[in-house]
Amino acid sequence: VTPEQAGLPDFGGERRVPGLRREEVALLAGVSLDYYTRLERGNIRGASESVLNAVARALQLDDVERQHLFDLARTAPVGSTARSRKKVTPALRTSVQRVLDNLAVPAIVYTAHQDLIASNLMGRALFSPHFEAEQPNLARFVFFDRRARDYYVDWPLARRMTAAMLRLEAGRDPLNSDLTALIGELSTRSPQFRADWAARDVHEHRTGRKVYRHPEVGELEVTFDVFEMPGEAGTFVTTYSVDEGSDSADRLALLASWAATGLAGPDTDGAERDDMPETTPRRADTPDRAPATPSPTDRVPGRRRGPTR
């Protein structure tokens, strides 16, 4: 936020930062410079709602960024009493899986850690490269798997959004040891993640459009809608639909046929992956093996039934 955007006079001269100075934010928020400095340095627990709202207005935060600020204040640890904890992912209810199986569009269920924990047959087909991992995880695929650069037509945007979603969740649940471990793993193994994480952006997936380049049917432009499951915080159902009469609708019909018949096509496991770590170990070449067929009875994504690989 520049002084001009904030409605402050610019007296010229060289500024060390393009945005607002600390004292300018304090002025706009109506707090003392000393108090704002303490907030900026992390001493934010106990800050009143009115102060946080004033800081949010001064920095012109959007609704997601504002919520992130409040999360940081609410979850700030108190001295040595803070302890990390392991988040338990709730088991997917059988009734929810029945709903997924009866949807006419692809649908997946994922957690705040980006773990893919369920899908219907079309969802598994749409994200088939992801489900090849023993424990499918959207973030690990985006940053570690070489095929992500081709699967996500706008891979840089997919990377940034994934890092921003993880930062938003880290603000909500900073003591979650599973989330901390995932962020640490991504930071250690992916220079791209380190760069995207350093941007400090936050993002919440709600609805929008994406373009995937599926290895079997080509480019699919889809509209996604995210639904949080009541009573199971941090678990989301996402559906994917296409415009009627579009090329993507034709390709989605092809995807449905491929999913139903199990015509998996050429094995893509040997695709070149540059310097990016693999999500799953390479398998020995077995040209005469039968293709794996997605089954609507599979309830645990990533665990295949049928021919032994």
Side-chain angles (χ1 to χ4, degrees), residues 21-39:
R21 295 187 174 107
R22 184 178 292 138
E23 57 269 22
E24 292 169 335
V25 179
L27 174 65
L28 290 170
V31 299
S32 70
L33 176 58
D34 180 66
Y35 184 65
Y36 179 72
T37 301
R38 295 203 305 270
L39 295 179

Side-chain angles (χ1 to χ4, degrees), residues 76-93:
V78 181
S80 60
T81 61
R83 294 290 185 273
S84 64
R85 59 181 176 274
K86 187 179 182 67
K87 191 178 183 78
V88 178
T89 302
L92 189 73
R93 298 192 299 272

Side-chain angles (χ1 to χ4, degrees), residues 152-200:
Y152 293 94
V153 171
D154 193 342
W155 179 62
L157 177 63
R159 284 175 20 218
R160 294 194 299 270
M161 292 298 97
T162 300
M165 285 189 288
L166 288 174
R167 181 173 284 281
L168 181 68
E169 183 59 27
R172 290 172 174 167
D173 195 5
L175 301 181
N176 188 312
S177 60
D178 289 339
L179 180 61
T180 302
L182 174 62
I183 293 171
E185 178 187 359
L186 294 169
S187 299
T188 301
R189 300 175 60 189
S190 171
Q192 290 87 4
F193 178 81
R194 291 196 294 273
D196 294 330
W197 182 258
R200 295 187 173 274

Side-chain angles (χ1 to χ4, degrees), residues 201-221:
D201 291 331
V202 290
H203 175 72
E204 185 174 54
H205 247 23
R206 297 173 178 173
T207 186
R209 297 179 75 86
K210 291 185 177 182
V211 183
Y212 299 129
R213 187 177 292 112
H214 194 275
E216 297 298 329
V217 301
E219 289 191 8
L220 285 159
E221 184 175 358

Side-chain angles (χ1 to χ4, degrees), residues 43 61 77 80 102 110 124 128 154 156 190 209 230 259 280 307-308:
N43 188 13
L61 304 184
S80 60
N102 281 280
Y110 68 95
R124 188 183 184 101
S128 56
D154 193 342
S190 171
R209 297 179 75 86
T280 54
T308 302

